[in-house]
Amino acid sequence: VLGMTRAGKSAWTINLLTQTEPYYDFTLIIEEGLSYGTYTKTLGSEPIVVQPDGEMCLNYFDTHGIPLTLTQIHAAAAILLKMAGVPHDEDKRNLRFATLVHYVEEAYSEFYNQYILQHPEAADRFTREAITIEKFKKEKMPATATFLEAWSEYKEQQDQDQDFQEFSEQEITDFMKDPAKAELIRAVAFSHFKPEEFPTHVDLVEIMSTNRLRSHDQDEVNMLITLLRPWEKQKLVSGTSTISIKGKVAHFELALLSQDSSLKEVTGFLIANYGRQHIISLPRGARKRVVFEEVARLLDIPGGERLVAEFYQQLSKYSTWIVSIVQQYSSFKNSSIRPIVIGNAKQVIITAMNDRSDLEDVAAAINLPNATKESINRYTLPEHMPAGKKYASFTYWHLDAREPRCGTMYNICARELLYCSDSTGSNFDKRAKALRNYDNVVEGIVSESKKSTAQLTS
């Protein structure tokens, strides 16, 4: 969804989310500005306002109930790379990333080994589960399926409490001795870890200090430790995960992090990865939605393009619909995630755009006809229309099986929807105060929007 500010993007998106809500089991929203705050309340939930000095923690080691994957390891290393500072030199950046990947893996291995020492009976259970899922993958899944996909499919079809006792001791021993299979056992083990059993940022820094690899540049490792240690005091990323997104909607608001762009980028990446893991843990057939507001600002960090690609390319297998909203197109245009978002989106919504060169860039990417470009250039902003006759023009582009289809449409909102989606500063505060007087927020929206209409017409 592309367009300038005040062009009707939020109203259009909330309209679509509202009309399709009955068909979806989970919605993740990541934004700044609380444009979707009132909508979230209509679903019986409250936005999670992330604060730099709050008590909330998102532990980047926590797999949130799914097996450990290479994607998770790389995501943790990408977060650490952002914390430590991303070198401009590509070779140095790649070397630093590889170094961090090693210590993330080391932390997982150390905590896994400690867990097995403390719970020796668990090794047999984890092994039986890994063998079962590996056999399920070979017998029931396509050749291209991953172990994680097989795990998700199997968990949906089978009893969670199955004992996995149909294998001989020799089969179990042989599986354990195979290094590649041992990785699968470890991966399965982390799907059973409680939040407090995962490594934390403090543990990682300690491991880097005491278990460093001799082949690593010691000065570089020392520098990484120095750069990462201050983050130990940042509760958002250092500690045990404190929140659960098990409900029907998870709405994260990041506006209070605006003074620290690094923390906002790290947090946005963390929440996106958190949501990815939760989506995978849900039944594959359950429908999910993800809304990224200003996707470039949230995820344009090293490793972000890999995460965005997984959302678009892989999570479709888990019945997930992705919406990326772009207002600051200039930053999006130069982002590493731009080709992934545009290349994988099957539908594009374009409202009024204030920069012709931005529109030309979009048009070239999705092959917009010249006539459509001229129509977009003539779109009038809703704020310039007379009261009672406002609407938002937008181009709807759809990648059909044979050729793209596009045309201009109008979003004409009911007064209740306009009241719900209005993000103007003065109206935002007034609405929040008014809705506190109602036990049911939907009844409040209906009543207050009627009052607003009466005031306008009187």
Side-chain angles (χ1 to χ4, degrees), residues 345-364:
K346 300 297 187 295
Q347 296 167 302
V348 178
I349 305 301
I350 308 172
T351 64
M353 299 182 74
N354 59 0
D355 191 319
R356 193 178 185 94
S357 66
D358 290 345
L359 178 57
E360 291 292 341
D361 187 78
V362 176

Side-chain angles (χ1 to χ4, degrees), residues 4 17 39 50 62 97 115 147 173 205 211 364 382 404 413 436:
M4 62 187 292
L17 291 176
Y39 166 74
V50 183
D62 197 333
F97 180 77
Y115 185 92
F147 183 81
T173 302
V205 175
N211 294 3
C413 294
R436 291 193 197 105

Side-chain angles (χ1 to χ4, degrees), residues 1-2 9-10 13 36 291-296 323-327:
V1 181
L2 308 164
K9 297 186 302 301
S10 294
T13 307
Y36 303 87
V291 179
F292 291 121
E293 182 85 28
E294 289 298 348
V295 62
V323 184
S324 295
I325 300 172
V326 177
Q327 180 172 297

Side-chain angles (χ1 to χ4, degrees), residues 371-389:
T372 302
K373 289 191 292 182
E374 292 305 316
S375 295
I376 295 171
N377 282 322
R378 291 194 297 269
Y379 287 167
T380 302
L381 295 178
E383 62 187 25
H384 297 152
M385 298 177 180
K389 297 183 179 180

